[in-house]
Amino acid sequence: MNSGFASLPIEDFYVRRLQELDIVTPSPIQAEAIPVIMEGRDVVAQSQTGSGKTLAYTLPLLHKIDKSSKEVQAIVLVPTRELGIQILQTLEQLTEGSGIRVQSLIGGAAISRQIDRLKLRPQVVVGTPGRVMELLKLRKLSMHYVKCAVVDEVDQVFDLGSMNEVEAIFKGMLRDRQVLFFSATMPEPVRDVIDRWMNEPAYVQVNPEQRTSQTLEHMYFVCEERDKIDTLRRIVRLYNPPAAIVFINETEDVAEVVEKLRYVGLSIEALYGEAGKQERAKVMQSFRNGKFQLLLATDIAARGLDIPHVTHVINLDPPIDADHYVHRVGRTGRMGKKGTAISIITHKERFIIAKFSKALGVPIDEKDMYQGKVIDAGQQRGGPRSSANRVRVEPAAGLRSTAASQREAAAEGGRSGGARTGEPKARISAKVQPAAKSSPISDKRKPERERDRKNKGAPRWLKEKQNKPKPQ
């Protein structure tokens, strides 16, 4: 039967392994990239987050391994420890029973233990550029037999300052090696590296204009800076997601934000670059197991992580650019599942959301929370209102008997911006009184009336403060 992964140039062994893992149908990036990589060409692959890029390069990579050789023949370079562990787990699942040995070389782990494990002669390694270079300098690792190199999340690898290390690693490989670059975003600096290290690469792009998943709903809430924590609390209480990732920009803010959110009763732990290896591993494992609801993270967690039960991504701080927005919100809505991306911004940060919306070509809607529901911004003010929020105008004395029976209808007319079609003129005259002639006394009271209008709904202490006579 020629369908699914069986229609691709993949060995039956891996087709069966995928079926055992309940992976039956290739995603678009897998269907496009796998045949080109199997041809041996250098490839630059770009598709939206959560589209299945890991399988798109690991499956053909494994076909290039000579099981009889005890040398490292393929390497996958990644920007973060968390992504490296995730890719290693995918490789271990695919190679179970195949005789291919895989190993991680991640920074932060004990290098002595990694050196001991290298004695088992892995054929595929997954590592961060810094740790791989460290082992190369110690002559505990050799690139002389590597014929396939993958750089996953290539833009972040270079953005983190690892470009020189990656290029040094490339220099130690076979001259006729195959190089694969994968990411959801390919900024201009990556182009220079492509020109230096790739030989007539094939560009595989799946809906490059659709940079975020079509199953994502994008929205934002506006509040004062001091109210962001409380707004987050209300959002979590309202949506009650099984798991959500909350992003902030600065590592220095992590401890303070965690304590504030715990104080208001939220279940949260933090993941950030400066945390220790064991702490980060423990936090990630607990989050995957559903032991807490919110993962507070810096952008270190925005790349490649696949946690299936994450339904919401919340930006407590706006990302620094549209590319970072893409990678953050890509932690949900993966592989066709629905997801929600929420940003909490101040009035001054509105222009940032407008830029993201324009750059990515996706609508990002402003929302409000009202009476335990999420509504479109302005709906409470300009749309249908509840009776508690309705403006009431008393009728003239001569028409009080009819006003009681017509109050609800008149209020409905007021909400629509004027009289409805066919509404009697008498009803309009009952609600709109002729303007009184201006008098010196009324003119003097205008500033007071204007102040009272602005103070409506203000806290009592503010009203009392503004009502105090100014000192002469």
Side-chain angles (χ1 to χ4, degrees), residues 426-453:
R427 187 180 302 170
I428 300 175
S429 64
K431 293 296 179 182
V432 182
Q433 300 298 320
K437 292 184 178 180
S438 175
S439 67
I441 297 177
S442 62
D443 289 342
K444 290 179 181 179
R445 295 193 59 187
K446 279 183 180 178
E448 296 179 13
R449 288 200 301 268
E450 180 67 13
R451 185 186 63 205
D452 291 341
R453 182 184 67 79

PDB file of all heavy atoms in Angstrom, residues 426-453:
ATOM      1  N   ALA A 426     -42.807  61.222  19.670  1.00  0.00           N
ATOM      2  CA  ALA A 426     -43.107  61.568  21.061  1.00  0.00           C
ATOM      3  C   ALA A 426     -42.116  60.908  22.002  1.00  0.00           C
ATOM      4  O   ALA A 426     -41.716  61.481  23.001  1.00  0.00           O
ATOM      5  CB  ALA A 426     -44.538  61.142  21.421  1.00  0.00           C
ATOM      6  N   ARG A 427     -41.678  59.672  21.661  1.00  0.00           N
ATOM      7  CA  ARG A 427     -40.737  58.974  22.528  1.00  0.00           C
ATOM      8  C   ARG A 427     -39.384  59.676  22.519  1.00  0.00           C
ATOM      9  O   ARG A 427     -38.696  59.763  23.512  1.00  0.00           O
ATOM     10  CB  ARG A 427     -40.565  57.526  22.068  1.00  0.00           C
ATOM     11  CG  ARG A 427     -39.736  56.696  23.024  1.00  0.00           C
ATOM     12  CD  ARG A 427     -39.590  55.277  22.546  1.00  0.00           C
ATOM     13  NE  ARG A 427     -40.904  54.657  22.383  1.00  0.00           N
ATOM     14  CZ  ARG A 427     -41.084  53.481  21.789  1.00  0.00           C
ATOM     15  NH1 ARG A 427     -40.048  52.849  21.289  1.00  0.00           N
ATOM     16  NH2 ARG A 427     -42.281  52.961  21.671  1.00  0.00           N
ATOM     17  N   ILE A 428     -39.009  60.193  21.360  1.00  0.00           N
ATOM     18  CA  ILE A 428     -37.745  60.918  21.283  1.00  0.00           C
ATOM     19  C   ILE A 428     -37.818  62.192  22.114  1.00  0.00           C
ATOM     20  O   ILE A 428     -36.918  62.509  22.868  1.00  0.00           O
ATOM     21  CB  ILE A 428     -37.420  61.258  19.818  1.00  0.00           C
ATOM     22  CG1 ILE A 428     -37.303  59.982  19.004  1.00  0.00           C
ATOM     23  CG2 ILE A 428     -36.137  62.077  19.728  1.00  0.00           C
ATOM     24  CD1 ILE A 428     -37.111  60.217  17.536  1.00  0.00           C
ATOM     25  N   SER A 429     -38.944  62.896  21.999  1.00  0.00           N
ATOM     26  CA  SER A 429     -39.052  64.134  22.748  1.00  0.00           C
ATOM     27  C   SER A 429     -39.090  63.887  24.249  1.00  0.00           C
ATOM     28  O   SER A 429     -38.693  64.726  25.031  1.00  0.00           O
ATOM     29  CB  SER A 429     -40.321  64.897  22.318  1.00  0.00           C
ATOM     30  OG  SER A 429     -41.482  64.155  22.645  1.00  0.00           O
ATOM     31  N   ALA A 430     -39.549  62.711  24.630  1.00  0.00           N
ATOM     32  CA  ALA A 430     -39.570  62.393  26.051  1.00  0.00           C
ATOM     33  C   ALA A 430     -38.165  62.200  26.596  1.00  0.00           C
ATOM     34  O   ALA A 430     -37.930  62.382  27.778  1.00  0.00           O
ATOM     35  CB  ALA A 430     -40.383  61.113  26.286  1.00  0.00           C
ATOM     36  N   LYS A 431     -37.241  61.824  25.752  1.00  0.00           N
ATOM     37  CA  LYS A 431     -35.898  61.536  26.221  1.00  0.00           C
ATOM     38  C   LYS A 431     -34.934  62.693  26.025  1.00  0.00           C
ATOM     39  O   LYS A 431     -33.908  62.764  26.653  1.00  0.00           O
ATOM     40  CB  LYS A 431     -35.340  60.306  25.483  1.00  0.00           C
ATOM     41  CG  LYS A 431     -36.065  59.029  25.813  1.00  0.00           C
ATOM     42  CD  LYS A 431     -35.880  58.693  27.261  1.00  0.00           C
ATOM     43  CE  LYS A 431     -36.621  57.432  27.642  1.00  0.00           C
ATOM     44  NZ  LYS A 431     -36.501  57.122  29.046  1.00  0.00           N
ATOM     45  N   VAL A 432     -35.212  63.559  25.073  1.00  0.00           N
ATOM     46  CA  VAL A 432     -34.290  64.640  24.756  1.00  0.00           C
ATOM     47  C   VAL A 432     -34.946  65.969  25.092  1.00  0.00           C
ATOM     48  O   VAL A 432     -35.957  66.349  24.486  1.00  0.00           O
ATOM     49  CB  VAL A 432     -33.892  64.607  23.260  1.00  0.00           C
ATOM     50  CG1 VAL A 432     -32.900  65.721  22.963  1.00  0.00           C
ATOM     51  CG2 VAL A 432     -33.306  63.264  22.911  1.00  0.00           C
ATOM     52  N   GLN A 433     -34.423  66.671  26.047  1.00  0.00           N
ATOM     53  CA  GLN A 433     -34.968  67.955  26.455  1.00  0.00           C
ATOM     54  C   GLN A 433     -34.272  69.074  25.707  1.00  0.00           C
ATOM     55  O   GLN A 433     -33.099  68.985  25.382  1.00  0.00           O
ATOM     56  CB  GLN A 433     -34.740  68.146  27.970  1.00  0.00           C
ATOM     57  CG  GLN A 433     -35.407  67.072  28.813  1.00  0.00           C
ATOM     58  CD  GLN A 433     -36.907  67.072  28.645  1.00  0.00           C
ATOM     59  OE1 GLN A 433     -37.513  68.136  28.572  1.00  0.00           O
ATOM     60  NE2 GLN A 433     -37.500  65.903  28.533  1.00  0.00           N
ATOM     61  N   PRO A 434     -35.007  70.143  25.394  1.00  0.00           N
ATOM     62  CA  PRO A 434     -34.364  71.284  24.741  1.00  0.00           C
ATOM     63  C   PRO A 434     -33.293  71.872  25.636  1.00  0.00           C
ATOM     64  O   PRO A 434     -33.429  71.917  26.853  1.00  0.00           O
ATOM     65  CB  PRO A 434     -35.523  72.264  24.509  1.00  0.00           C
ATOM     66  CG  PRO A 434     -36.587  71.864  25.463  1.00  0.00           C
ATOM     67  CD  PRO A 434     -36.448  70.384  25.635  1.00  0.00           C
ATOM     68  N   ALA A 435     -32.216  72.304  25.015  1.00  0.00           N
ATOM     69  CA  ALA A 435     -31.090  72.849  25.775  1.00  0.00           C
ATOM     70  C   ALA A 435     -31.481  74.155  26.423  1.00  0.00           C
ATOM     71  O   ALA A 435     -32.114  75.015  25.811  1.00  0.00           O
ATOM     72  CB  ALA A 435     -29.893  73.062  24.855  1.00  0.00           C
ATOM     73  N   ALA A 436     -31.116  74.302  27.702  1.00  0.00           N
ATOM     74  CA  ALA A 436     -31.409  75.538  28.418  1.00  0.00           C
ATOM     75  C   ALA A 436     -30.482  76.634  27.944  1.00  0.00           C
ATOM     76  O   ALA A 436     -29.355  76.378  27.534  1.00  0.00           O
ATOM     77  CB  ALA A 436     -31.239  75.328  29.924  1.00  0.00           C
ATOM     78  N   LYS A 437     -31.002  77.867  27.995  1.00  0.00           N
ATOM     79  CA  LYS A 437     -30.171  78.995  27.589  1.00  0.00           C
ATOM     80  C   LYS A 437     -29.012  79.158  28.560  1.00  0.00           C
ATOM     81  O   LYS A 437     -29.146  78.965  29.751  1.00  0.00           O
ATOM     82  CB  LYS A 437     -31.010  80.271  27.560  1.00  0.00           C
ATOM     83  CG  LYS A 437     -32.048  80.262  26.447  1.00  0.00           C
ATOM     84  CD  LYS A 437     -32.779  81.595  26.394  1.00  0.00           C
ATOM     85  CE  LYS A 437     -33.794  81.627  25.244  1.00  0.00           C
ATOM     86  NZ  LYS A 437     -34.507  82.913  25.183  1.00  0.00           N
ATOM     87  N   SER A 438     -27.902  79.556  27.998  1.00  0.00           N
ATOM     88  CA  SER A 438     -26.714  79.735  28.823  1.00  0.00           C
ATOM     89  C   SER A 438     -26.892  80.911  29.758  1.00  0.00           C
ATOM     90  O   SER A 438     -27.460  81.930  29.398  1.00  0.00           O
ATOM     91  CB  SER A 438     -25.506  79.965  27.910  1.00  0.00           C
ATOM     92  OG  SER A 438     -24.377  80.247  28.663  1.00  0.00           O
ATOM     93  N   SER A 439     -26.440  80.745  30.985  1.00  0.00           N
ATOM     94  CA  SER A 439     -26.512  81.819  31.965  1.00  0.00           C
ATOM     95  C   SER A 439     -25.162  81.950  32.648  1.00  0.00           C
ATOM     96  O   SER A 439     -24.368  81.010  32.654  1.00  0.00           O
ATOM     97  CB  SER A 439     -27.581  81.520  33.013  1.00  0.00           C
ATOM     98  OG  SER A 439     -27.196  80.419  33.792  1.00  0.00           O
ATOM     99  N   PRO A 440     -24.892  83.111  33.244  1.00  0.00           N
ATOM    100  CA  PRO A 440     -23.593  83.262  33.930  1.00  0.00           C
ATOM    101  C   PRO A 440     -23.378  82.222  35.000  1.00  0.00           C
ATOM    102  O   PRO A 440     -22.275  81.732  35.199  1.00  0.00           O
ATOM    103  CB  PRO A 440     -23.687  84.673  34.524  1.00  0.00           C
ATOM    104  CG  PRO A 440     -24.682  85.387  33.670  1.00  0.00           C
ATOM    105  CD  PRO A 440     -25.666  84.358  33.242  1.00  0.00           C
ATOM    106  N   ILE A 441     -24.466  81.856  35.711  1.00  0.00           N
ATOM    107  CA  ILE A 441     -24.303  80.874  36.787  1.00  0.00           C
ATOM    108  C   ILE A 441     -23.932  79.512  36.219  1.00  0.00           C
ATOM    109  O   ILE A 441     -23.020  78.845  36.702  1.00  0.00           O
ATOM    110  CB  ILE A 441     -25.604  80.781  37.624  1.00  0.00           C
ATOM    111  CG1 ILE A 441     -25.877  82.129  38.304  1.00  0.00           C
ATOM    112  CG2 ILE A 441     -25.491  79.673  38.649  1.00  0.00           C
ATOM    113  CD1 ILE A 441     -27.176  82.155  39.081  1.00  0.00           C
ATOM    114  N   SER A 442     -24.674  79.088  35.141  1.00  0.00           N
ATOM    115  CA  SER A 442     -24.373  77.771  34.568  1.00  0.00           C
ATOM    116  C   SER A 442     -22.989  77.743  33.955  1.00  0.00           C
ATOM    117  O   SER A 442     -22.294  76.738  33.980  1.00  0.00           O
ATOM    118  CB  SER A 442     -25.424  77.391  33.516  1.00  0.00           C
ATOM    119  OG  SER A 442     -25.395  78.323  32.449  1.00  0.00           O
ATOM    120  N   ASP A 443     -22.560  78.890  33.362  1.00  0.00           N
ATOM    121  CA  ASP A 443     -21.212  78.938  32.799  1.00  0.00           C
ATOM    122  C   ASP A 443     -20.159  78.749  33.875  1.00  0.00           C
ATOM    123  O   ASP A 443     -19.126  78.107  33.663  1.00  0.00           O
ATOM    124  CB  ASP A 443     -20.984  80.268  32.085  1.00  0.00           C
ATOM    125  CG  ASP A 443     -21.780  80.345  30.787  1.00  0.00           C
ATOM    126  OD1 ASP A 443     -22.190  79.267  30.319  1.00  0.00           O
ATOM    127  OD2 ASP A 443     -21.979  81.456  30.256  1.00  0.00           O
ATOM    128  N   LYS A 444     -20.397  79.316  35.067  1.00  0.00           N
ATOM    129  CA  LYS A 444     -19.437  79.175  36.156  1.00  0.00           C
ATOM    130  C   LYS A 444     -19.328  77.735  36.631  1.00  0.00           C
ATOM    131  O   LYS A 444     -18.305  77.297  37.122  1.00  0.00           O
ATOM    132  CB  LYS A 444     -19.846  80.065  37.326  1.00  0.00           C
ATOM    133  CG  LYS A 444     -19.662  81.567  37.032  1.00  0.00           C
ATOM    134  CD  LYS A 444     -20.099  82.397  38.219  1.00  0.00           C
ATOM    135  CE  LYS A 444     -19.946  83.900  37.926  1.00  0.00           C
ATOM    136  NZ  LYS A 444     -20.398  84.710  39.082  1.00  0.00           N
ATOM    137  N   ARG A 445     -20.448  76.998  36.504  1.00  0.00           N
ATOM    138  CA  ARG A 445     -20.440  75.616  37.012  1.00  0.00           C
ATOM    139  C   ARG A 445     -19.919  74.620  35.991  1.00  0.00           C
ATOM    140  O   ARG A 445     -19.782  73.448  36.288  1.00  0.00           O
ATOM    141  CB  ARG A 445     -21.860  75.225  37.426  1.00  0.00           C
ATOM    142  CG  ARG A 445     -22.385  76.045  38.594  1.00  0.00           C
ATOM    143  CD  ARG A 445     -23.642  75.414  39.156  1.00  0.00           C
ATOM    144  NE  ARG A 445     -23.366  74.047  39.602  1.00  0.00           N
ATOM    145  CZ  ARG A 445     -24.325  73.210  40.008  1.00  0.00           C
ATOM    146  NH1 ARG A 445     -25.577  73.588  40.020  1.00  0.00           N
ATOM    147  NH2 ARG A 445     -24.008  71.988  40.388  1.00  0.00           N
ATOM    148  N   LYS A 446     -19.628  75.042  34.768  1.00  0.00           N
ATOM    149  CA  LYS A 446     -19.144  74.119  33.751  1.00  0.00           C
ATOM    150  C   LYS A 446     -17.881  73.369  34.173  1.00  0.00           C
ATOM    151  O   LYS A 446     -17.792  72.152  34.007  1.00  0.00           O
ATOM    152  CB  LYS A 446     -18.901  74.859  32.433  1.00  0.00           C
ATOM    153  CG  LYS A 446     -20.180  75.089  31.624  1.00  0.00           C
ATOM    154  CD  LYS A 446     -19.867  75.765  30.294  1.00  0.00           C
ATOM    155  CE  LYS A 446     -21.157  75.974  29.506  1.00  0.00           C
ATOM    156  NZ  LYS A 446     -20.894  76.670  28.221  1.00  0.00           N
ATOM    157  N   PRO A 447     -16.873  74.081  34.711  1.00  0.00           N
ATOM    158  CA  PRO A 447     -15.672  73.319  35.146  1.00  0.00           C
ATOM    159  C   PRO A 447     -15.977  72.264  36.190  1.00  0.00           C
ATOM    160  O   PRO A 447     -15.402  71.177  36.185  1.00  0.00           O
ATOM    161  CB  PRO A 447     -14.755  74.416  35.699  1.00  0.00           C
ATOM    162  CG  PRO A 447     -15.220  75.679  35.047  1.00  0.00           C
ATOM    163  CD  PRO A 447     -16.706  75.526  34.885  1.00  0.00           C
ATOM    164  N   GLU A 448     -16.922  72.574  37.125  1.00  0.00           N
ATOM    165  CA  GLU A 448     -17.276  71.587  38.154  1.00  0.00           C
ATOM    166  C   GLU A 448     -17.958  70.383  37.529  1.00  0.00           C
ATOM    167  O   GLU A 448     -17.685  69.237  37.896  1.00  0.00           O
ATOM    168  CB  GLU A 448     -18.192  72.240  39.197  1.00  0.00           C
ATOM    169  CG  GLU A 448     -17.516  73.383  39.982  1.00  0.00           C
ATOM    170  CD  GLU A 448     -18.479  74.008  40.981  1.00  0.00           C
ATOM    171  OE1 GLU A 448     -19.549  73.384  41.215  1.00  0.00           O
ATOM    172  OE2 GLU A 448     -18.170  75.073  41.519  1.00  0.00           O
ATOM    173  N   ARG A 449     -18.901  70.659  36.590  1.00  0.00           N
ATOM    174  CA  ARG A 449     -19.594  69.541  35.943  1.00  0.00           C
ATOM    175  C   ARG A 449     -18.625  68.682  35.129  1.00  0.00           C
ATOM    176  O   ARG A 449     -18.735  67.457  35.099  1.00  0.00           O
ATOM    177  CB  ARG A 449     -20.708  70.080  35.039  1.00  0.00           C
ATOM    178  CG  ARG A 449     -21.888  70.637  35.813  1.00  0.00           C
ATOM    179  CD  ARG A 449     -23.124  70.689  34.932  1.00  0.00           C
ATOM    180  NE  ARG A 449     -22.900  71.510  33.744  1.00  0.00           N
ATOM    181  CZ  ARG A 449     -23.188  72.822  33.680  1.00  0.00           C
ATOM    182  NH1 ARG A 449     -23.678  73.435  34.750  1.00  0.00           N
ATOM    183  NH2 ARG A 449     -22.970  73.500  32.573  1.00  0.00           N
ATOM    184  N   GLU A 450     -17.674  69.330  34.447  1.00  0.00           N
ATOM    185  CA  GLU A 450     -16.695  68.587  33.668  1.00  0.00           C
ATOM    186  C   GLU A 450     -15.829  67.711  34.571  1.00  0.00           C
ATOM    187  O   GLU A 450     -15.540  66.559  34.266  1.00  0.00           O
ATOM    188  CB  GLU A 450     -15.814  69.564  32.886  1.00  0.00           C
ATOM    189  CG  GLU A 450     -14.739  68.879  32.032  1.00  0.00           C
ATOM    190  CD  GLU A 450     -15.331  68.081  30.887  1.00  0.00           C
ATOM    191  OE1 GLU A 450     -16.537  68.245  30.597  1.00  0.00           O
ATOM    192  OE2 GLU A 450     -14.590  67.277  30.300  1.00  0.00           O
ATOM    193  N   ARG A 451     -15.446  68.276  35.750  1.00  0.00           N
ATOM    194  CA  ARG A 451     -14.653  67.503  36.687  1.00  0.00           C
ATOM    195  C   ARG A 451     -15.440  66.323  37.225  1.00  0.00           C
ATOM    196  O   ARG A 451     -14.936  65.208  37.338  1.00  0.00           O
ATOM    197  CB  ARG A 451     -14.197  68.395  37.849  1.00  0.00           C
ATOM    198  CG  ARG A 451     -13.248  67.686  38.837  1.00  0.00           C
ATOM    199  CD  ARG A 451     -12.966  68.570  40.024  1.00  0.00           C
ATOM    200  NE  ARG A 451     -14.203  68.815  40.752  1.00  0.00           N
ATOM    201  CZ  ARG A 451     -14.415  69.886  41.529  1.00  0.00           C
ATOM    202  NH1 ARG A 451     -13.486  70.821  41.633  1.00  0.00           N
ATOM    203  NH2 ARG A 451     -15.557  70.046  42.161  1.00  0.00           N
ATOM    204  N   ASP A 452     -16.730  66.532  37.541  1.00  0.00           N
ATOM    205  CA  ASP A 452     -17.564  65.444  38.042  1.00  0.00           C
ATOM    206  C   ASP A 452     -17.712  64.350  36.992  1.00  0.00           C
ATOM    207  O   ASP A 452     -17.733  63.163  37.296  1.00  0.00           O
ATOM    208  CB  ASP A 452     -18.948  65.977  38.453  1.00  0.00           C
ATOM    209  CG  ASP A 452     -18.869  66.865  39.693  1.00  0.00           C
ATOM    210  OD1 ASP A 452     -17.846  66.756  40.416  1.00  0.00           O
ATOM    211  OD2 ASP A 452     -19.815  67.639  39.924  1.00  0.00           O
ATOM    212  N   ARG A 453     -17.835  64.779  35.710  1.00  0.00           N
ATOM    213  CA  ARG A 453     -17.976  63.783  34.643  1.00  0.00           C
ATOM    214  C   ARG A 453     -16.725  62.917  34.531  1.00  0.00           C
ATOM    215  O   ARG A 453     -16.797  61.696  34.401  1.00  0.00           O
ATOM    216  CB  ARG A 453     -18.226  64.491  33.308  1.00  0.00           C
ATOM    217  CG  ARG A 453     -18.444  63.536  32.135  1.00  0.00           C
ATOM    218  CD  ARG A 453     -18.589  64.291  30.844  1.00  0.00           C
ATOM    219  NE  ARG A 453     -17.339  64.938  30.473  1.00  0.00           N
ATOM    220  CZ  ARG A 453     -16.311  64.292  29.906  1.00  0.00           C
ATOM    221  NH1 ARG A 453     -16.405  63.008  29.653  1.00  0.00           N
ATOM    222  NH2 ARG A 453     -15.207  64.930  29.608  1.00  0.00           N
TER     223      ARG A 453
END
